Amino acid sequence: MACSGSSILLFFVFLFLHPSLLLSLPVQDSFLQCLSKNSELSFPFSTILYTPKNSSYTTILQSSAQNPRFTTPSLPKPEFIVTPLQESHIQAAVICSKQLGIHLRVLSGGHDYEGLSYVSEIEKPFIVVNLAKLRSISVDIDDNSAWVQAGATNGELYYRIAEKSKTRGFPAGLATTLGIGGHITGGAYGSMLRKYGIAVDNVIDARIVDVHGRVLDRKAMGKDLFWAIRGGGGGSFGIITAWKVKLVPVPSTVTVFQITKTLEQGAIKILNRWQQVADKLDEDLFIRVYLKLAGAGNGGKKTVSTTYISLFLGDAKRLLQVMQDSFPELGLTRQDCIETSWINSVLHLAGYSNDTAP
């Protein structure tokens, strides 16, 4: 016998009035019904939810997983992945995870090398809220600020700033694929930290979904929570949906260089000297050093090389004077220096070739 429309309606009304019954349903079905119940607007949530049965599930899971050790078949996988399109979807996901006892992981860019944003070996079942589709960026040069959603990357933010101004930048990380949402919650060290501090020092406001599913801005969350989310780690206090950041001035011409020294070229003495002067250099000058094994291939003699990679907020002439006064041991010459724009320096420091377009 076919069920009448009124009978079906009564069933769902009864189900919503008794949410504990959702727990007896399969996890995905329970979650979908709960999402619909806790959303103000009608939305086909099945279109933003991916289970292992979906052909796109593995692609989406691995697309932001930067450490392949945590994507092996033997490790636990999320029951499903939610890819919210707006804040209300995150609110509903938080409420339903809490109601149904499902552990929740939050992923923005995936540069979480411990896999904490997409793997859970203790809390099961678990789901992943992937913020990749929340990547809107609004730059206001007059206000010297930008709102950036949590799923956007560093590179996207830098590019949008450069579109509006050649003399503004933002002091965050070097990797252009870092998800800005999680990156800033961890502090966000970058190449302009000696002059402007790290990214969290330049956060003006934020939007966060708390454990109760409420959306809070800086005023609503209070000073303690606003302090905690700026460096306290991703997912610790809620889900960041957007940051408002302060832009910083950059010169129209900056200078980058990269110099490598091996043991045979006095690498140990130079590195020791760099450690002595690094904190005393001009605040416009950022230098970092990579150490690696070199010359081991094709039967060559093994050695250790040190590579000095730098950004200077100024032209080559002033950089050469600064280096001569403070770190002449490195032997920097004009031929080593590349004058460029700030946005192009981002690509250089990220390891792209000098002819790569932003």
Side-chain angles (χ1 to χ4, degrees), residues 35-350:
L35 288 175
S36 298
K37 175 187 174 184
N38 288 280
S39 180
E40 295 180 359
L41 300 174
S42 176
F43 181 83
F45 282 99
S46 59
T47 62
I48 62 169
L49 190 149
Y50 299 86
T51 72
K53 295 181 180 179
N54 294 115
S55 58
S56 302
Y57 173 85
T58 301
T59 300
I60 293 173
L61 179 62
Q62 295 182 353
S63 64
S64 297
Q66 300 294 328
N67 191 337
R69 289 187 305 167
F70 294 110
T71 61
T72 58
S74 61
L75 287 176
K77 300 296 183 293
E79 293 287 330
F80 47 86
I81 304 167
V82 182
T83 57
L85 302 178
Q86 55 197 45
E87 280 184 339
S88 63
H89 297 165
I90 300 176
Q91 290 177 273
V94 168
I95 292 170
C96 293
S97 295
K98 183 178 179 181
Q99 179 178 318
L100 299 174
I102 302 172
H103 192 69
L104 187 151
R105 296 293 195 186
V106 185
L107 186 149
S108 54
H111 280 260
D112 163 22
Y113 291 116
E114 294 177 321
L116 298 180
S117 58
Y118 45 89
V119 174
S120 177
E121 295 195 78
I122 301 175
E123 299 90 352
K124 301 175 185 177
F126 76 99
I127 66 171
V128 169
V129 176
N130 187 327
L131 304 177
K133 293 182 180 179
L134 292 173
R135 55 201 321 138
S136 171
I137 299 171
S138 176
V139 177
D140 186 340
I141 294 299
D142 293 334
D143 186 51
N144 210 41
S145 67
W147 271 106
V148 51
Q149 286 190 308
T153 65
N154 277 2
E156 290 168 342
L157 175 59
Y158 298 156
Y159 182 80
R160 295 305 175 195
I161 294 171
E163 274 188 327
K164 296 289 185 72
S165 172
K166 306 304 179 187
T167 57
R168 294 290 187 277
F170 183 64
L174 305 180
T176 56
T177 56
L178 282 165
I180 204 74
H183 181 44
I184 293 182
T185 62
Y189 289 77
S191 59
M192 294 193 288
L193 65 85
R194 302 195 66 248
K195 186 164 189 174
Y196 297 117
I198 56 181
V200 291
D201 297 318
N202 296 276
V203 169
I204 302 170
D205 202 345
R207 293 177 67 82
I208 184 173
V209 176
D210 73 0
V211 68
H212 304 294
R214 301 173 300 180
V215 177
L216 308 175
D217 61 10
R218 178 176 182 174
K219 182 178 179 180
M221 74 178 75
K223 63 180 182 180
D224 289 343
L225 181 54
F226 185 65
W227 173 83
I229 63 176
R230 291 174 296 143
S236 298
F237 304 98
I239 300 179
I240 301 292
T241 64
W243 298 103
K244 184 179 183 182
V245 298
K246 178 178 67 177
L247 308 184
V248 301
V250 295
S252 56
T253 298
V254 303
T255 307
V256 294
F257 70 78
Q258 180 171 316
I259 295 178
T260 298
K261 300 289 185 181
T262 64
L263 293 178
E264 294 74 18
Q265 295 170 316
I268 294 176
K269 289 184 177 180
I270 295 171
L271 181 62
N272 181 60
R273 180 58 181 164
W274 174 75
Q275 290 179 305
Q276 294 173 359
V277 304
D279 63 325
K280 304 174 184 66
L281 297 173
D282 189 297
E283 66 175 9
D284 286 332
L285 178 59
F286 167 82
I287 303 177
R288 64 173 179 163
V289 187
Y290 281 119
L291 285 77
K292 66 178 182 180
L293 181 67
N298 299 320
K301 180 182 178 181
K302 289 184 180 180
T303 186
V304 174
S305 69
T306 56
T307 299
Y308 295 78
I309 302 173
S310 175
L311 167 67
F312 180 69
L313 299 176
D315 59 27
K317 181 179 179 181
R318 189 163 78 87
L319 169 60
L320 288 168
Q321 186 60 56
V322 167
M323 290 293 288
Q324 182 59 40
D325 293 342
S326 57
F327 191 21
E329 293 82 1
L330 188 60
L332 182 70
T333 67
R334 179 63 182 87
Q335 288 69 37
D336 298 316
C337 302
I338 301 173
E339 293 185 330
T340 187
S341 63
W342 173 75
I343 188 63
N344 283 321
S345 77
V346 169
L347 295 170
H348 179 89
L349 293 173

